[in-house]
Amino acid sequence: YLQSEVDRLTRRANELRGDKTREISQWLPIFAQRLQSLTIHARAYDPRPSAHIGPIVAPILFRSKLGVYNRMTEGRAGDGGGHRAGWWTVWLGESGKGKTTTSYTFGCDAVEQQRRITFISKENQEQITSRLLLALTHLTMGEVNSRTARTQPLILDEHGRPMLIYNSAGEPIGEWHDEKVRQFIFQSWVEALDVYCKIYTWEYFGQIRNVISWDDPDILIIDYIGPEDMDSKRETKYTLGAFSAECEKIAHDTKKSIHGNFQISNQEVLAYQNNPRHIIPGPYGSGAVKHSADQLFQTRVADIPDRQHYLRTKCRAGGLVEEYQAYYDKSRWIYTDLPEATIHS
């Protein structure tokens, strides 16, 4: 298995040497990281049934920095949860109720850990970039939109001293309110996005395999899928089901973590609004979407302010229907773990 994985990676490297020679500084570190993960961190996955007790569950590609997401994906696998390789996750919910914000949260989760993420999205490319930079940099929206940092009022730490910002080695960069320090942080994340994040317009919706071949992402987000994206000559529930089945196959074939955000019908929206534990059979009545999903979540804004509610209705890693909550960080426009005080109250 290790030999086949190394062969696959080196074949891909040889392809890029021919097609993207000038970008070698971008893709070479990624291959080095993946080879290292096979040898040092023991992340190689043995697909033989004899190597597993019970049902085979896709291995963890990398852990999330969000404890709530690790819990949401662990099921009964006993592996701690996280972003799984070869895993098709379906997200159902009304427009504006957390699907896209969850995707941006995963974007930050990946880039902060130097993992590659790709979006195929109906959202404007500049808007996606701005949302990710707002979350990654901790700068203000005005600074992010103008791409220019500004000196802020003096920010003090708990000891009454100017708050410092540190690099990954724990070395101080400078005082956080300072314009030059903030601009340095901003530019650092701009460069990180260029390396670890790719954004495709919706015209690439029908080229999922090609996009994966071009970018070799760890995570692929498809945002968002509705009846208008399907063949109008066939009944919606069947075309949505066929699309989901194809995404399942692509995820399993390529060993990527693929997420699909689906719109739901007005009737399904109303039923879920009235009951936060209402299980939606499938978008627009397509039970086949749920059938092919490795994992399925429903999203809605929680009744408590600044909370996001998730209902897990399927998990091939095991487990019952379960509810989860995340905290909405209004300054970064993404979800985070609930504050400790809230968890223990």
Side-chain angles (χ1 to χ4, degrees):
Y1 175 75
L2 287 171
Q3 285 180 333
S4 68
E5 286 295 291
V6 170
D7 289 345
R8 182 179 66 82
L9 288 171
T10 52
R11 280 197 303 271
R12 181 59 180 153
N14 286 331
E15 291 173 3
L16 291 173
R17 278 192 64 189
D19 299 339
K20 296 187 177 182
T21 304
R22 295 182 179 179
E23 293 88 355
I24 190 169
S25 62
Q26 296 182 16
W27 56 259
L28 183 59
I30 297 166
F31 280 93
Q33 181 186 54
R34 292 187 176 176
L35 288 169
Q36 183 184 48
S37 72
L38 283 172
T39 56
I40 295 179
H41 298 299
R43 289 179 183 161
Y45 174 60
D46 189 340
R48 295 173 301 175
S50 60
H52 299 263
I53 298 175
I56 295 177
V57 178
I60 300 300
L61 189 61
F62 66 100
R63 298 254 182 270
S64 174
K65 297 180 75 172
L66 279 72
V68 63
Y69 182 67
N70 291 331
R71 293 191 295 274
M72 288 165 65
T73 55
E74 181 177 14
R76 292 178 179 170
D79 55 10
H83 299 281
R84 295 189 182 277
W87 203 245
W88 166 231
T89 304
V90 168
W91 301 82
L92 304 180
E94 180 185 0
S95 179
K97 301 301 182 182
K99 298 187 303 296
T100 299
T101 299
T102 299
S103 297
Y104 294 154
T105 302
F106 293 158
C108 294
D109 197 17
V111 174
E112 286 178 342
Q113 299 187 68
Q114 299 182 340
R115 293 287 187 161
R116 293 176 66 81
I117 185 166
T118 295
F119 291 84
I120 300 176
S121 178
K122 290 178 179 175
E123 300 288 342
N124 178 275
Q125 182 173 353
E126 186 174 340
Q127 178 181 338
I128 298 173
T129 302
S130 294
R131 285 286 300 270
L132 292 172
L133 285 172
L134 179 68
L136 290 165
T137 63
H138 295 253
L139 269 62
T140 65
M141 178 59 78
E143 290 173 301
V144 170
N145 286 339
S146 66
R147 301 296 193 264
T148 304
R150 299 183 181 89
T151 298
Q152 301 296 308
L154 182 63
I155 304 171
L156 302 178
D157 62 20
E158 65 270 22
H159 304 294
R161 295 189 292 262
M163 181 178 290
L164 298 178
I165 191 74
Y166 297 85
N167 62 20
S168 58
E171 301 164 340
I173 298 174
E175 297 179 1
W176 181 225
H177 71 280
D178 183 80
E179 175 184 315
K180 292 181 179 178
V181 173
R182 296 172 73 86
Q183 188 67 44
F184 173 80
I185 295 297
F186 178 80
Q187 192 58 39
S188 297
W189 284 117
V190 168
E191 294 170 2
L193 277 184
D194 284 343
V195 174
Y196 297 108
C197 180
K198 300 297 180 185
I199 304 168
Y200 287 85
T201 59
W202 199 245
E203 64 182 319
Y204 290 91
F205 172 69
Q207 301 186 53
I208 296 173
R209 283 189 182 271
N210 286 339
V211 168
I212 290 174
S213 175
W214 297 332
D215 291 333
D216 194 25
D218 296 298
I219 300 174
L220 174 66
I221 305 284
I222 307 170
D223 182 41
Y224 53 90
I225 305 145
E228 68 277 7
D229 303 308
M230 301 293 113
D231 183 355
S232 60
K233 297 178 182 179
R234 299 177 59 196
E235 193 171 350
T236 297
K237 64 181 180 181
Y238 296 126
T239 54
L240 287 172
F243 171 76
S244 180
E246 178 61 17
C247 287
E248 177 196 26
K249 187 175 189 309
I250 294 173
H252 294 182
D253 289 346
T254 62
K255 306 305 179 191
K256 304 302 179 185
S257 179
I258 304 181
H259 298 255
N261 297 341
F262 286 78
Q263 296 289 80
I264 57 177
S265 69
N266 291 335
Q267 183 179 0
E268 291 162 346
V269 167
L270 184 61
Y272 190 30
Q273 284 177 342
N274 292 334
N275 178 9
R277 289 186 63 85
H278 170 74
I279 297 177
I280 302 170
Y284 295 87
S286 180
V289 170
K290 181 176 182 179
H291 176 75
S292 58
D294 291 304
Q295 196 157 30
L296 188 144
F297 294 98
Q298 298 174 192
T299 68
R300 72 194 296 271
V301 176
D303 298 329
I304 303 173
D306 301 329
R307 302 282 185 87
Q308 176 65 23
H309 178 270
Y310 298 105
L311 181 66
R312 188 184 69 193
T313 64
K314 179 182 180 182
C315 181
R316 284 179 175 162
L320 304 173
V321 173
E322 291 190 48
E323 295 177 272
Y324 301 89
Q325 285 195 4
Y327 178 74
Y328 180 61
D329 187 333
K330 290 184 287 189
S331 65
R332 300 172 64 204
W333 292 19
I334 60 169
Y335 300 125
T336 64
D337 285 319
L338 294 175
E340 285 294 321
T342 306
I343 294 174
H344 297 301
S345 62

